[in-house]
Amino acid sequence: MAIYNPKSLKAEEFINDGEIRATLEYADQNKNNIELIDQILDKARPKKTETGYVCAGLTHREASVLLACDIPEKVEEIYKIAEEIKLTFYGNRIVMFAPLYVSNYCVNGCVYCPYHLKNKRIPRRKLTQEEVKAEVIALQDMGHKRLAIEAGEDPKNNPIEYILECIDTIYSIKHKNGAIRRVNVNIAATTVENYRKLKEAGIGTYILFQETYHKESYLQLHPTGPKHDYDYHTEAMDRAMEGGIDDVGLGVLFGLELYRYEFAGLIMHAEHLEAVHGVGPHTISVPRIKRADDIDPTAFDNSISDEVFAKITACIRLAVPYTGMIISTRETEEVRTKLLRLGISQVSGGSRTTVGGYTEEERPHDTEQFDVSDQRTLDEVVRWLMENGHIPSFCTACYREGRTGDRFMSLCKTGQIINCCHPNALMTLTEYLVDYGSEQTRKIGFELIDKELEKIPNQKVKEIAKQNIADIKNSNRRDFRF
Ligand code: SAM
């Protein structure tokens, strides 16, 4: 039997089934242990030091106790601390992005995904470079600066060379004042050599959802195709890091397996990356299974309620305070509003999950990967965020200034976000409003920006930011950044 070892490079040792089961047992035994719960909550709170705030984070065992706890006052406290961590380390900024589906050809058999090989109803489509260009221009015209490439796994139709070509095309398009400044990539697990090529192509974060950490379920849910190999999939982030990618994004497809098992596995995965590579995941996504062509989410009996989903999000926030958290348009406006208070730092807006969806007038469904619940335009999402006290940020400066991996983490840990990310968010929001915002959104935005500028503690930074914002409003000059 495999023994738990977070430093091991073997999936069965760092995501160790025995350790997860022992963790769940420990959590059950302690879910009403007020003394222990208070200790864990206290450990999770941000603490002030001479150089700023620090947060200890939680181990997978500690975080699992909180997730198991149903005492209403304690759950409220978890939510309060999650919000406190979010505001302390990330401020009220919310980073904006959109997915770009380039191909739905897939050789895998994932039973929850409509792109599975046996689905003969769904039309298969792969964008040509001309089509990629048209999609990117449509996304730029909405105001997006950050994309996540999405593709099925198919070595013949979507080889790594195709993905690299798409990345090249995306970065090369300069349209009006627009440019995509960060391309994240969500493609199947691959080799160190291919990760190196992605790194050289200048990708931002490499995102790969584990789907489920439960090996037995994983094998059943992925019955055929290369994705069937649990170990290869689970060890992908180590290969990505070996290939030089320092920002990786984890995620679980909630609803496939028992959520407490998934949660413990997810936190163990983050601990493993920190233990081996000295830097944890850049982001964690929290997708939930959705209806899609040929897929009925009720066929998965582990679907989770909105309340449990909120608690999972908050507990992740407490466990890994320096990791960004992403929520997509799989969720409704109502759920997104709630989760934004509990630690989410990145949202998608105006998304289409179809191949070629951004250039089609009508919202197309035929190649859609899943039902999009939040169907608002990017402008509506931006306005809604501001009305709820958040600052939508189109900033991509960290990545372009080389502040990735542990360099970003140190910015976060020393509390410098308010002097760096905050002004960058305000400047890129101004760019968005001037170039793409509707009149109503602009009005709300400019008032908010004036107020938010006053929060910048460093006077010099504040003056420069004010000047840059005035320049953006008065001229065509763009891309100021700290
Ligand atoms: N093909 C790539 C892979 O194998 O990792 C990833 C790209 S796929 C377009 C992105 C993610 O969508 C998957 O990792 C999965 O978690 C999610 N997904 C698939 N089917 C879904 C569904 N019915 N509802 C919600 N999310 C789904």
Side-chain angles (χ1 to χ4, degrees):
M1 218 171 62
I3 295 187
Y4 176 49
N5 176 7
K7 286 197 168 165
S8 164
L9 292 175
K10 282 193 184 155
E12 62 176 354
E13 290 177 2
F14 66 83
I15 303 294
N16 181 257
D17 180 64
E19 173 57 20
I20 297 184
R21 287 176 198 281
T23 298
L24 300 186
E25 228 179 281
Y26 175 77
D28 274 332
Q29 281 159 5
N30 287 291
K31 65 181 186 183
N32 293 314
N33 180 346
I34 306 260
E35 202 184 321
L36 178 67
I37 290 167
D38 283 343
Q39 269 173 28
I40 298 173
L41 289 172
D42 196 47
K43 181 180 172 196
R45 274 190 194 93
K47 312 266 181 325
K48 197 165 175 26
T49 68
E50 275 176 16
T51 49
Y53 281 87
V54 291
C55 220
L58 299 176
T59 64
H60 60 277
R61 285 209 175 198
E62 293 164 336
S64 294
V65 170
L66 295 188
L67 187 63
C69 167
D70 277 328
I71 305 166
E73 309 87 77
K74 298 299 164 196
V75 175
E76 267 319 299
E77 231 177 304
I78 294 172
Y79 289 171
K80 254 175 65 189
I81 297 172
E83 187 170 10
E84 204 183 318
I85 293 174
K86 160 75 175 61
L87 291 175
T88 305
F89 295 104
Y90 297 88
N92 52 350
R93 293 167 312 109
I94 299 291
V95 170
M96 309 301 300
F97 80 100
L100 173 61
Y101 283 73
V102 293
S103 170
N104 66 351
Y105 281 94
C106 194
V107 295
N108 285 315
C110 317
V111 302
Y112 50 83
C113 178
Y115 294 169
H116 67 82
L117 183 65
K118 284 197 187 138
N119 186 356
K120 301 295 176 208
R121 276 212 313 256
I122 198 164
R124 301 290 166 169
R125 189 167 172 202
K126 168 185 167 183
L127 298 180
T128 63
Q129 294 311 307
E130 270 314 299
E131 287 169 334
V132 170
K133 195 170 165 193
E135 287 281 289
V136 171
I137 287 176
L139 281 156
Q140 289 183 2
D141 280 339
M142 288 161 70
H144 276 295
K145 302 278 188 253
R146 182 187 289 244
L147 300 184
I149 289 190
E150 309 277 341
E153 177 167 16
D154 184 332
K156 266 205 199 120
N157 285 298
N158 324 324
I160 193 73
E161 290 71 26
Y162 171 69
I163 303 293
L164 295 170
E165 213 184 335
C166 290
I167 296 169
D168 237 32
T169 302
I170 296 169
Y171 279 136
S172 73
I173 302 162
K174 305 284 174 272
H175 166 68
K176 298 185 184 160
N177 283 332
I180 298 301
R181 299 170 183 158
R182 179 170 176 133
V183 179
N184 297 334
V185 173
N186 183 3
I187 59 163
T190 185
T191 58
V192 174
E193 196 191 343
N194 285 347
Y195 286 126
R196 200 162 282 129
K197 289 179 183 166
L198 287 171
K199 166 77 182 172
E200 280 160 15
I203 69 160
T205 309
Y206 171 65
I207 300 164
L208 180 69
F209 299 159
Q210 177 64 30
E211 320 299 7
T212 175
Y213 284 97
H214 191 285
K215 186 167 181 174
E216 235 176 271
S217 298
Y218 183 96
L219 297 178
Q220 284 166 12
L221 290 160
H222 307 93
T224 53
K227 197 165 168 177
H228 179 71
D229 189 337
Y230 175 87
D231 291 350
Y232 189 73
H233 188 81
T234 311
E235 293 160 7
M237 293 314 191
D238 296 292
R239 292 194 301 279
M241 286 185 151
E242 196 186 329
I245 296 176
D246 30 34
D247 286 347
V248 298
L250 304 181
V252 155
L253 186 54
F254 284 102
L256 298 178
E257 241 305 326
L258 294 175
Y259 70 88
R260 287 176 53 206
Y261 191 101
E262 303 294 23
F263 176 83
L266 183 63
I267 305 304
M268 282 164 76
H269 202 170
E271 288 168 344
H272 160 72
L273 295 177
E274 180 94 44
V276 175
H277 307 280
V279 50
H282 188 66
T283 55
I284 288 183
S285 300
V286 285
R288 265 197 299 189
I289 184 104
K290 292 282 303 173
R291 206 210 66 77
D293 179 71
D294 208 29
I295 306 297
D296 171 10
T298 57
F300 302 92
D301 51 12
N302 294 308
S303 61
I304 49 173
S305 67
D306 291 351
E307 286 70 41
V308 168
F309 193 44
K311 202 162 148 207
I312 293 171
T313 306
C315 288
I316 296 175
R317 182 66 302 143
L318 268 57
V320 284
Y322 303 120
T323 294
M325 285 182 71
I326 304 179
I327 190 102
S328 75
T329 54
R330 287 177 182 86
E331 300 299 333
T332 60
E333 174 182 344
E334 192 190 346
V335 171
R336 298 209 314 161
T337 303
K338 181 163 184 192
L339 264 52
L340 278 164
R341 303 227 85 83
L342 302 178
I344 294 294
S345 51
Q346 218 178 109
V347 303
S348 46
S351 305
R352 298 270 164 107
T353 65
T354 32
V355 181
Y358 294 107
T359 39
E360 292 176 26
E361 285 282 305
E362 290 288 308
R363 177 171 284 276
H365 287 287
D366 59 347
T367 62
E368 196 169 59
Q369 197 198 15
F370 51 79
D371 268 2
V372 170
S373 299
D374 186 342
Q375 301 204 352
R376 292 172 296 170
T377 63
L378 180 63
D379 189 71
E380 287 166 336
V381 173
V382 165
R383 190 161 65 238
W384 156 76
L385 286 170
M386 296 190 301
E387 283 167 349
N388 282 280
H390 307 286
I391 304 170
S393 172
F394 291 86
C395 182
T396 55
C398 272
Y399 149 74
R400 288 179 299 144
E401 297 292 329
R403 290 189 295 257
T404 57
D406 56 352
R407 275 152 294 169
F408 168 75
M409 295 287 175
S410 84
L411 188 79
C412 197
K413 288 175 186 172
T414 53
Q416 277 314 302
I417 285 221
I418 190 75
N419 280 319
C420 186
C421 305
H422 192 67
N424 279 342
L426 298 177
M427 294 187 301
T428 55
L429 177 58
T430 308
E431 287 182 1
Y432 170 83
L433 294 169
V434 171
D435 290 340
Y436 311 100
S438 66
E439 207 165 307
Q440 195 188 356
T441 306
R442 256 188 224 180
K443 187 171 175 304
I444 297 171
F446 289 150
E447 279 169 19
L448 180 73
I449 289 166
D450 284 345
K451 264 199 274 171
E452 292 289 331
L453 275 166
E454 296 310 319
K455 289 188 187 166
I456 301 170
N458 183 313
Q459 286 308 311
K460 201 164 166 217
V461 171
K462 189 195 290 187
E463 285 318 309
I464 297 171
K466 279 185 178 175
Q467 185 54 54
N468 290 351
I469 283 175
D471 285 352
I472 294 165
K473 285 181 178 173
N474 296 329
S475 75
N476 237 2
R477 280 192 64 204
R478 298 289 178 268
D479 206 11
F480 296 94
R481 63 179 183 262
F482 289 98

